[in-house]
Amino acid sequence: MTDLLDRWRAAARGAGVTLDDAATRAGEHLLTRWREPHRRYHTVAHLTAVLDVVDGHAALADRPDLVRLAGWCHDAIYDPRAPGDTNERDSAALAESLLTRLGVPATAVAEVRRLVLLTAGHAVPTDDRDGALLCDADLAVLAAPPAAYDRYAAAIRQEYAHVPEPAFRTGRAGVLTALLALPALFRLPPLADRWEQPARDNLRRELASLSGPSTLAG
């Protein structure tokens, strides 16, 4: 995980952190959370995928280091049994506490908190480039090739193994329907041009599968 910690420290320095040892401990704490055994999709692999998208398109953001920090924190707290947007709110609170202790300026802390909260519904104002990049990165898996998307959907089902199948199908259908109702899944043109249609195709395919025999939960 050295490479990931290096990426965390670089983003923290970009946000004004000067305490390298403290930053390292904070990064290690976050990685411990991302490695929790109940996670199947919201893992270090998802964190890495989000950071890769942000790094690859950092020129599109106004404050890319804050987007990176929000990427690190956005699913730092993840309990599949938590209701509503509890995970996002708790992750935002963790980000606020952790970054404040590291000495990040209050305005930057508030921005990271705001960005983390955006991942609850992925509804982003049209002029919010940083929010758009974070949310586009978070939803990138939706545009994966069908086989990779199916692995993602199966991993989500595993995270919700405690939910009976009928209730899971109803709840998951609600999530997919809400995503499809967004005016756009992806906001930044270089990403939207490539990802919007494949993502909608995957979502519709999974939604259709929820009304028949399960094909995605293997």
Side-chain angles (χ1 to χ4, degrees):
M1 296 299 171
T2 303
D3 176 61
L4 274 176
L5 280 174
D6 286 343
R7 295 168 79 172
W8 161 260
R9 283 188 289 258
R13 285 193 295 270
V17 174
T18 58
L19 304 172
D20 222 38
D21 288 346
T24 297
R25 289 193 296 273
E28 289 170 342
H29 173 73
L30 289 172
L31 284 174
T32 296
R33 289 186 172 274
W34 282 96
R35 290 195 293 259
E36 291 167 335
H38 67 272
R39 297 174 183 247
R40 293 296 181 270
Y41 170 69
H42 294 88
T43 64
V44 169
H46 172 57
L47 168 62
T48 303
V50 168
L51 296 175
D52 286 348
V53 172
V54 174
D55 286 350
H57 300 85
L60 302 176
D62 294 317
R63 298 197 65 181
D65 282 320
L66 300 190
V67 181
R68 293 181 180 102
L69 294 180
W72 272 89
C73 294
H74 82 286
D75 282 325
I77 294 179
Y78 182 73
D79 177 3
R81 298 175 185 268
D85 63 353
T86 300
N87 286 321
E88 289 83 5
R89 288 187 287 106
D90 288 349
S91 293
L94 174 64
E96 183 175 30
S97 173
L98 183 150
L99 295 175
T100 298
R101 290 198 305 271
L102 289 177
V104 174
T107 54
V109 172
E111 174 64 0
V112 173
R113 184 180 188 279
R114 183 189 73 84
L115 291 171
V116 171
L117 290 172
L118 283 178
T119 64
H122 300 95
V124 182
T126 56
D127 61 346
D128 183 2
R129 301 204 310 171
D130 290 348
L133 181 55
L134 177 64
C135 288
D136 284 3
D138 190 31
L139 295 181
V141 68
L142 302 184
Y149 180 92
D150 291 353
R151 290 191 293 272
Y152 147 74
I156 293 294
R157 182 64 184 106
Q158 290 166 6
E159 288 184 338
Y160 285 85
H162 61 282
V163 179
E165 185 69 11
F168 175 80
R169 290 188 180 216
T170 298
R172 181 66 176 166
V175 171
L176 301 179
T177 299
L179 287 169
L180 285 166
L182 290 172
L185 292 165
F186 303 102
R187 296 92 181 156
L188 297 174
L191 302 178
D193 292 347
R194 299 200 310 270
W195 292 351
E196 187 73 21
Q197 193 57 52
R200 289 188 177 274
D201 290 345
N202 279 329
L203 291 171
R204 293 189 184 102
R205 185 170 58 84
E206 185 187 357
L207 187 58
S209 80
L210 295 173
S211 62
S214 179
T215 60
L216 295 173

